[in-house]
């Protein structure tokens, strides 16, 4: 998920009977699937949880431009270069939608970005992994955007209207990116040479487990999920979504002719699902804490962009002010 | 005149310039001063690489030696590239990037206007499509040059520093080359005199609004991108851009 671990700040879920009149009206609205809109009353914890989740999601879109930006100058054909540029542009656009959705909750974009840069706000753990060969551009599209879509399709029904609507628009573009990513891999596997097929398998080996981690901690270690589910911010559990992703992705992996870097992966006819091996949760928490392979570089790049650009933003403001003064005179 | 051979150099000049300018814009990815600019820089770059593909496709057809647009883009060395020296210059700060974009856009727009009337139908078609995109590029880069020139003291100073870094490469935008005058007479390209005049006019009027001084015309530079005589910046740019197709010549991507 683009927002993997969102603190709700709530220790236990309040039963309806203990709620104030206002809280009860709100919860009843949620229960009858009526969308919450910007001007509606909402509990402060609901507002804060959404600000954390949507900003984390927006930050992920922006930081997520960097692993792909690493290859945009090295894309091997004009067609692939154009596709990658279009995709990166879409991601910047998704960041914009999401910051706007977040601002309907009264949060300020610059303040939330400052939190990201000081390490107080998170972004998806997946973008802390390096992109080391061209096949990573295919694997990121297929696996990473694929995992994001499984999460985001559900979020189209999230209880907060502006967030749900942003997801509808974003999902359309993400599905396109995912197909494009898969097509990159398919071309390399079917029409490429042995070196290219090795690149594809290498990319899958490196990105498979990090992609599974995008769904967040397992349900038993997901203390904030219950409240997020009660508010219908989340609609399905981390483990349910992860299972759905694996079930739909393995046949695609087989069609590529690649293998999964999980020796325990096996179809379970009884469950009607794939069984899979243990996720390295230690690694997941370390990456989220800032100790992953690229955490420092990603944040440094983003901080530098904003710091180096301060004079540009100041100039734009000063010029707009001059123009306004001239018009007023 | 041999109409086919004579068209190749102008086509490469247009295609290579758009491609190299697009490549420079890609280097900004994730590093722009504000989110809206991430979108805009990538958007302009995308337009230009798309145009490059159209020009190079056509050049490859005329060359008819088995090479395609990708081959032209990814397998030619710097001595065979025909892009403007201006666009291969490093990005520098945002002032250098936007001033470079503006100098290029103002030249590009006039060049495409002329080409959209070309006697060569294919050329006219590609130019007409590109013209719509470049009209937007020029509006955007002009607005930024004005904002930065007439913004804060710091942004003004940065623009003053950007001008001499780029100005000497603008000579090639306005020079009157004999073969190009010939091509114009044959109805195959824009009138170089008109491009030069319009370019100067648009620099003068924008610089006035941006409170920036227009320098004297640059002196002759002793390099000529028409003959593949580039600055030292193009080689490393191509090394990065071309490494995959060079390393795996038989690969299909």
């Amino acid at each position: 998920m683009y927002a993997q671990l969102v603190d709700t700040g709530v220790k236990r879920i309040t039963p309806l009977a203990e709620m104030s009149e206002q809280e009860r009206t709100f919860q009843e609205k949620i229960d009858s699937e009526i969308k919450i809109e910007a001007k509606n009353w909402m509990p402060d914890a609901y507002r804060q949880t959404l600000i954390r989740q949507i900003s984390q999601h927006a930050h992920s879109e922006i930081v997520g431009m960097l692993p792909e930006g690493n290859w945009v100058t090295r894309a091997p054909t004009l067609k692939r270069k154009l596709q990658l540029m279009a995709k990166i542009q879409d991601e910047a656009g998704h960041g914009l939608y999401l910051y706007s959705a977040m601002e309907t909750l009264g949060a300020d974009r610059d303040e939330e970005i400052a939190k990201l840069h000081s390490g107080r706000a998170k972004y998806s753990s997946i973008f802390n992994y390096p992109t080391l060969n061209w096949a990573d551009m295919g694997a990121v599209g297929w696996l990473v955007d694929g995992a994001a879509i499984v999460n985001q399709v559900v979020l189209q029904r999230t209880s907060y209207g502006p967030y749900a609507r942003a997801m509808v628009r974003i999902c359309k573009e993400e599905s396109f990116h995912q197909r494009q990513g898969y097509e990159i891999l398919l071309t390399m596997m079917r029409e490429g040479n042995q070196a290219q097929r090795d690149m594809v398998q290498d990319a899958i080996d490196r990105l498979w487990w990090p992609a599974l981690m995008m769904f967040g901690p397992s349900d038993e270690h997901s203390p904030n999920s219950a409240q997020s589910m009660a508010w219908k911010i989340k609609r399905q559990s981390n483990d349910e979504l992860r299972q759905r992703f694996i079930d739909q992705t393995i046949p695609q992996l087989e069609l590529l002719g690649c293998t999964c870097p999980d020796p325990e992966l096996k179809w379970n006819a009884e469950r009607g699902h794939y069984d899979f091996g243990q996720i390295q949760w230690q690694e997941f928490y370390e990456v989220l804490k800032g100790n992953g392979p690229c955490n420092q570089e990603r944040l440094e790049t983003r901080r530098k962009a904003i710091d180096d650009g301060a004079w540009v933003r100041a100039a734009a403001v000063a010029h707009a002010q001059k123009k306004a003064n001239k018009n007023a005179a | 005149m041999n109409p086919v051979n004579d068209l190749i150099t102008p086509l490469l000049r247009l295609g290579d310039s758009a491609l190299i300018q697009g490549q420079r814009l890609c280097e900004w990815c994730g590093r722009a001063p504000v989110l809206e600019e991430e979108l805009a820089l990538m958007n302009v770059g995308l337009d230009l690489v798309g145009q490059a593909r159209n020009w190079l496709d056509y050049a490859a057809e005329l060359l008819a030696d088995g090479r395609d647009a990708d081959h032209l883009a990814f397998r030619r060395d710097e001595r065979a590239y025909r892009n403007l020296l201006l666009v291969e210059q490093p990005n520098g700060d945002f002032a250098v990037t936007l001033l470079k974009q503006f100098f290029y856009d103002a030249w590009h727009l006039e060049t495409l206007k002329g080409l959209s009337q070309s006697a060569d139908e294919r050329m006219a078609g590609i130019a007409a499509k590109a013209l719509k995109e470049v009209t937007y590029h020029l509006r955007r880069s002009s607005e930024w040059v004005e904002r930065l020139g007439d913004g804060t003291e710091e942004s003004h100073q940065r623009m003053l520093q950007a001008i001499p870094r780029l100005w000497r490469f603008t000579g090639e935008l306005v020079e009157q080359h004999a073969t190009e005058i010939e091509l114009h007479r044959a109805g195959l390209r824009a009138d170089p005199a008109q491009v030069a005049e319009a370019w100067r006019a648009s620099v003068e009027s924008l610089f006035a609004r941006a409170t920036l001084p227009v320098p004297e015309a640059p002196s002759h530079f002793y390099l000529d991108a028409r003959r593949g005589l580039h600055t030292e910046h193009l080689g490393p740019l191509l090394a990065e851009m071309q490494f995959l197709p060079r390393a795996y010549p038989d690969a299909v991507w």
Side-chain angles (χ1 to χ4, degrees), chain A residues 73 78 80-81 302 313, chain B residues 23 30 33 70 150 240 253:
Chain A
T73 56
L78 293 168
R80 295 301 182 206
K81 198 180 196 69
R302 291 306 305 152
R313 298 190 299 278
Chain B
Q23 176 76 1
D70 281 323
D150 187 24
E240 178 175 348
W253 304 99

Side-chain angles (χ1 to χ4, degrees), chain A residues 91-161:
Chain A
E91 279 156 7
H94 297 172
L96 271 181
Y97 296 161
L98 287 162
Y99 284 123
S100 302
M102 179 200 77
E103 285 177 331
T104 64
L105 292 156
D108 177 79
R109 187 189 305 194
D110 294 339
E111 281 172 26
E112 296 305 316
I113 290 173
K115 284 184 198 163
L116 169 73
H117 291 180
S118 65
R120 281 175 293 153
K122 300 200 182 314
Y123 56 91
S124 179
S125 58
I126 190 75
F127 302 120
N128 292 309
Y129 290 86
T131 49
L132 300 178
N133 75 41
W134 170 254
D136 286 23
M137 294 305 98
V140 165
W142 172 48
L143 294 176
V144 175
D145 290 289
I149 292 164
V150 168
N151 275 302
Q152 291 174 164
V153 161
V154 191
L155 285 175
Q156 294 180 94
R157 296 187 296 115
T158 196
S159 59
Y160 187 58

Side-chain angles (χ1 to χ4, degrees), chain A residues 12 16 20-21 34 37 63 109 113 133 137 143 145 183 194 204 213 229 232 254 256 262 276-277:
Chain A
R12 67 179 262 273
L16 271 181
S20 70
E21 183 63 37
I34 298 170
E37 297 297 337
V63 177
R109 187 189 305 194
I113 290 173
N133 75 41
M137 294 305 98
L143 294 176
D145 290 289
E183 198 254 335
Q194 189 57 44
I204 293 169
M213 292 177 194
M229 298 275 260
K232 296 191 179 175
E254 287 167 352
L256 280 176
D262 178 358
F276 56 99

Side-chain angles (χ1 to χ4, degrees), chain A residues 62 65 73-76 78 80-82 85 89 96 109 191 193 196 199 302 309 311-313 315 319 322, chain B residues 23 26 30 33 35 38-39 42-43 45-46 50 70 146 150-151 154-155 158 240-241 245 250-253:
Chain A
I62 303 310
M65 294 166 68
T73 56
R74 292 181 288 164
L78 293 168
R80 295 301 182 206
K81 198 180 196 69
L82 287 164
M85 293 172 85
Q89 197 194 340
L96 271 181
R109 187 189 305 194
E191 297 169 52
N193 57 30
Q196 290 179 289
M199 286 180 206
R302 291 306 305 152
W311 69 272
V312 176
R313 298 190 299 278
H319 182 73
K322 283 182 187 177
Chain B
Q23 176 76 1
C26 285
L35 184 48
E38 295 287 355
L39 272 163
M42 203 49 78
N43 181 247
L46 186 62
D70 281 323
E146 186 180 335
D150 187 24
E154 181 181 3
S155 70
R158 283 180 184 259
E240 178 175 348
M241 187 174 88
D250 64 333
V252 179
W253 304 99

Side-chain angles (χ1 to χ4, degrees), chain B:
Chain B
M1 272 181 81
N2 175 333
V4 167
N5 281 337
D6 289 341
L7 269 185
I8 304 244
T9 303
L11 284 172
L12 291 179
R13 192 164 177 82
L14 288 159
D16 292 351
S17 296
L19 179 59
I20 301 300
Q21 178 72 5
Q23 176 76 1
R24 284 293 187 214
L25 292 175
C26 285
E27 295 171 8
W28 270 101
C29 178
R31 290 159 178 81
V34 64
L35 184 48
E36 285 78 356
E37 285 305 303
E38 295 287 355
L39 272 163
L41 292 164
M42 203 49 78
N43 181 247
V44 172
L46 186 62
D47 286 346
L48 291 173
V49 177
Q51 293 171 19
R53 183 163 66 167
N54 292 337
W55 295 123
L56 295 180
D57 270 338
Y58 188 26
E61 275 175 42
L62 294 182
L63 282 164
D65 58 5
R67 291 185 290 175
D68 60 9
D70 281 323
H71 207 290
L72 291 177
F74 294 100
R75 310 285 176 98
R76 266 182 308 148
D77 292 342
E78 59 205 275
R79 291 286 282 112
Y81 257 78
R82 296 291 179 260
N83 61 279
L84 298 165
L85 300 172
L86 175 74
V87 299
E88 71 198 37
Q89 299 312 306
N91 284 333
D93 63 9
F94 202 66
V96 174
T97 292
L98 266 297
L99 185 62
K100 180 169 48 150
Q101 184 75 46
F102 163 69
F103 285 155
Y104 172 59
D105 292 342
W107 172 87
H108 204 186
L109 185 86
E110 272 320 296
T111 301
L112 291 172
K113 270 189 193 164
L115 281 173
S116 64
Q117 308 297 318
S118 174
D120 184 89
E121 242 176 68
R122 174 84 175 270
M123 213 162 185
I126 299 173
K129 185 171 175 289
L131 191 55
K132 290 180 198 150
E133 296 168 344
V134 173
T135 304
Y136 156 72
H137 301 173
L138 178 61
R139 198 177 71 209
R140 182 185 116 75
S141 60
S142 301
E143 282 171 2
W144 268 115
V145 169
E146 186 180 335
R147 264 184 214 120
L148 299 178
D150 187 24
T152 61
E153 183 49 37
E154 181 181 3
S155 70
H156 184 74
Q157 285 303 326
R158 283 180 184 259
M159 284 306 285
L160 290 181
Q161 286 161 19
I163 295 169
R165 284 186 61 170
L166 298 172
W167 189 251
R168 59 211 166 110
F169 302 109
T170 61
E172 65 182 338
L173 306 179
V174 294
E175 67 196 353
Q176 312 289 310
H177 205 265
T179 57
E180 286 173 5
I181 295 170
E182 282 277 303
L183 280 171
H184 166 61
R185 291 204 179 112
L188 289 171
R189 58 150 299 151
D191 177 357
Q194 195 184 323
V195 171
E197 197 183 319
W199 187 85
R200 274 201 206 90
S202 87
V203 171
E204 279 168 17
S205 98
L206 178 61
F207 273 33
R209 274 182 284 141
T211 68
L212 296 168
V214 181
E216 296 287 315
S219 52
H220 183 65
F221 197 59
Y222 304 104
L223 289 178
D224 183 2
R226 280 187 195 80
R227 292 188 291 130
L229 295 172
H230 290 274
T231 62
E232 289 181 350
H233 298 296
L234 185 62
L237 180 149
L238 293 182
E240 178 175 348
M241 187 174 88
Q242 298 179 335
F243 109 88
L244 266 178
R246 297 271 196 185
Y248 304 96
D250 64 333
V252 179
W253 304 99

Side-chain angles (χ1 to χ4, degrees), chain A residues 150-151 209 211-219 237-249 276 279 281 284:
Chain A
V150 168
N151 275 302
W209 291 106
L212 295 189
M213 292 177 194
M214 291 174 71
F215 295 90
S218 64
D219 294 350
S237 84
N238 296 351
D239 286 336
E240 280 171 335
L241 294 171
R242 188 168 12 243
Q243 183 72 60
R244 177 177 307 163
F245 173 74
I246 292 171
D247 291 347
Q248 75 183 38
T249 304
F276 56 99
I279 289 174
W281 292 114
F284 170 74

